[in-house]
Amino acid sequence: SSCSFFSAPHTIVWPVQCTIAIGLYTYIPTLTHFYIHMVPGVRVYGQKVTDVEVTLDAQFRPVPVPTLAGVPLLYKALPGTGENDLQIRNNIIVRIMADPRYGLAPPEWQYGGAFGPAPPVLLARRDSRPFSSEDWDILEDFVSHWADEVNDILGQNREARSLELLRSPRLQNFVRRHFSQTGFLDLRFPVGSAVVARGLSVQELNGIEGEVVQYSRDRVGVLFPQREAPVAIKPERLEIVWEAQLAAAPEGPVPNVAPRGGLDRQQATAMVKHFADCLFKDVFPPDDVLGVFGLAGEDDRHNAAIFGVWQGALLHLDLGENALVEAMLEGRVEDLFQNWCRQVAQSTISPRAYYAQQVIERGFAAIDWDN
């Protein structure tokens, strides 16, 4: 139940400028020193997560959601696969790469279907603490719960509330409610905390207070008085006497929205897919894309009617997401909407026909488009 060996990775240090672009936002530019070394991490491919030793280098980039939640997780997409792509049915990496503003992955992380499978991805922590498949399971659950909460947010404060839902100690509290015994040990037993061990085979350590100093994948490294090296102890053998405060998550400017001009087909398809999902869930899309779909006006009742027209066109009449993608690429979304609005207004099967008639009566010129 205990062991006195923890390996220390070999490191090489050089300065690197970390101006990191992920999706539609730029992540916290800083000048720092990056360490090349082997750390415990995972490889994610399709729906398979494997514990591996990861060599951190300057090609790794932050994963925004866990980083904002207090876990400095890095990723690196690998070239090729070396496996049978045809067997991939689920790309679980996509959810973890969500945009912190509204809970969905940016266009370049939209995989599956026509986009094909996501590449293999390595994940490891910048602070060199282990990141295991157990950690992945908890993180995936946390991100899923957070994304569901974000989808339920209405109104103008969606982005701020989305980011607020990631702030400490949200993830720490989630970890402690989770059934896993070994996931995110640094959140269960923060470095510097005082602990007491029980039930160890090394009898003289039972009941002795020690300090948490490091971690392996499934054990906590505790430094006891008169011991030169930390002892690796299973977490179920430890009781916290005094808990150290976790380091604060970064407060920097995470989401800087990029201009929408010059969308390529993949970006437009991802945006339409997200919009269609919002229509199905009956929630407005994020504030920064409202104008793309004519929903940026100040009259909430009119916006609701326009939203209803989109629902009638895409959900009830099934006029086609592909047609909307083409319209976005060609800059004629407004014309397409007017055409669809007339079709919905004349429909006998769409419950949104009334909204379309309202929009037509008010006039299309009253719609606030973001051109």
Side-chain angles (χ1 to χ4, degrees):
S1 58
S2 70
C3 164
S4 59
F5 176 75
F6 274 87
S7 61
H10 175 67
T11 64
I12 304 173
V13 187
W14 80 91
V16 59
Q17 177 70 37
C18 290
T19 303
I20 297 168
I22 301 180
L24 302 179
Y25 44 87
T26 300
Y27 191 86
I28 310 178
T30 57
L31 181 65
T32 185
H33 284 81
F34 203 98
Y35 293 76
I36 287 189
H37 50 181
M38 297 289 290
V39 297
V42 300
R43 179 182 184 269
V44 182
Y45 182 57
Q47 59 187 81
K48 183 179 180 180
V49 181
T50 308
D51 289 314
V52 295
E53 293 300 309
V54 176
T55 302
L56 286 181
D57 57 36
Q59 296 180 29
F60 278 80
R61 299 291 181 262
V63 184
V65 167
T67 299
L68 284 174
V71 176
L73 192 63
L74 304 174
Y75 82 93
K76 177 181 178 180
L78 300 177
T81 63
E83 301 179 33
N84 185 358
D85 289 351
L86 298 178
Q87 296 179 356
I88 302 301
R89 294 291 181 268
N90 187 11
N91 297 279
I92 58 177
I93 189 65
V94 171
R95 175 57 66 89
I96 299 298
M97 302 306 297
D99 184 323
R101 295 170 302 159
Y102 52 81
L104 290 177
E108 60 268 37
W109 282 100
Q110 294 290 341
Y111 287 97
F115 296 130
V121 176
L122 295 177
L123 296 173
R125 292 179 54 151
R126 187 181 185 87
D127 57 10
S128 299
R129 292 177 183 171
F131 184 76
S132 68
S133 54
E134 288 268 357
D135 297 335
W136 166 274
D137 289 342
I138 297 176
L139 181 61
E140 188 178 31
D141 285 348
F142 173 78
V143 173
S144 179
H145 280 79
W146 163 77
D148 288 343
E149 290 182 282
V150 172
N151 284 333
D152 290 338
I153 298 173
L154 301 176
Q156 299 298 314
N157 295 324
R158 181 187 177 106
E159 180 178 319
R161 284 284 296 128
S162 174
L163 296 174
E164 181 182 332
L165 289 172
L166 292 173
R167 299 297 184 188
S168 179
R170 293 273 301 191
L171 178 56
Q172 184 183 35
N173 292 339
F174 187 88
V175 167
R176 291 181 172 178
R177 293 194 303 269
H178 203 275
F179 62 84
S180 172
Q181 289 289 325
T182 60
F184 285 114
L185 292 176
D186 62 315
L187 299 183
R188 300 175 188 274
F189 302 92
V191 163
S193 297
V195 294
V196 171
R198 310 286 187 193
L200 300 183
S201 58
V202 183
Q203 295 293 329
E204 63 267 24
L205 295 180
N206 289 322
I208 303 298
E209 185 175 309
E211 179 184 354
V212 175
V213 293
Q214 60 192 105
Y215 313 90
S216 68
R217 289 190 193 273
D218 58 358
R219 284 172 167 76
V220 181
V222 180
L223 187 62
F224 290 98
Q226 300 176 345
R227 287 253 177 172
E228 295 183 357
V231 179
I233 302 176
K234 293 180 179 179
E236 60 266 28
R237 304 289 189 186
L238 294 174
E239 296 178 12
I240 292 183
V241 177
W242 175 83
E243 183 174 326
Q245 186 174 2
L246 289 172
E251 297 286 345
V254 179
N256 295 327
V257 181
R260 280 187 293 271
L263 285 178
D264 60 29
R265 183 171 298 277
Q266 186 174 1
Q267 292 172 321
T269 301
M271 189 177 291
V272 170
K273 181 179 179 181
H274 177 217
F275 183 51
D277 186 57
C278 291
L279 295 174
F280 179 77
K281 294 178 179 177
D282 201 27
V283 296
F284 270 51
D287 295 346
D288 63 289
V289 299
L290 288 175
V292 175
F293 303 104
L295 299 168
E298 296 182 359
D299 188 334
D300 290 341
R301 290 174 62 89
H302 190 45
N303 289 337
I306 296 168
F307 188 80
V309 174
W310 284 117
Q311 288 179 313
L314 287 172
L315 302 184
H316 306 141
L317 302 188
D318 194 22
L319 295 181
E321 295 179 19
N322 290 337
L324 181 53
V325 170
E326 296 300 327
M328 291 184 66
L329 293 173
E330 298 170 10
R332 52 179 183 83
V333 174
E334 185 175 350
D335 292 338
L336 179 72
F337 175 82
Q338 293 180 17
N339 184 305
W340 283 2
C341 185
R342 295 186 181 96
Q343 293 186 55
V344 174
Q346 298 171 5
S347 171
T348 58
I349 62 172
S350 174
R352 298 295 187 265
Y354 172 72
Y355 290 116
Q357 294 163 6
Q358 280 188 322
V359 172
I360 292 173
E361 289 176 6
R362 182 162 179 172
F364 294 120
I367 301 177
D368 189 358
W369 296 95
D370 184 4
N371 297 317

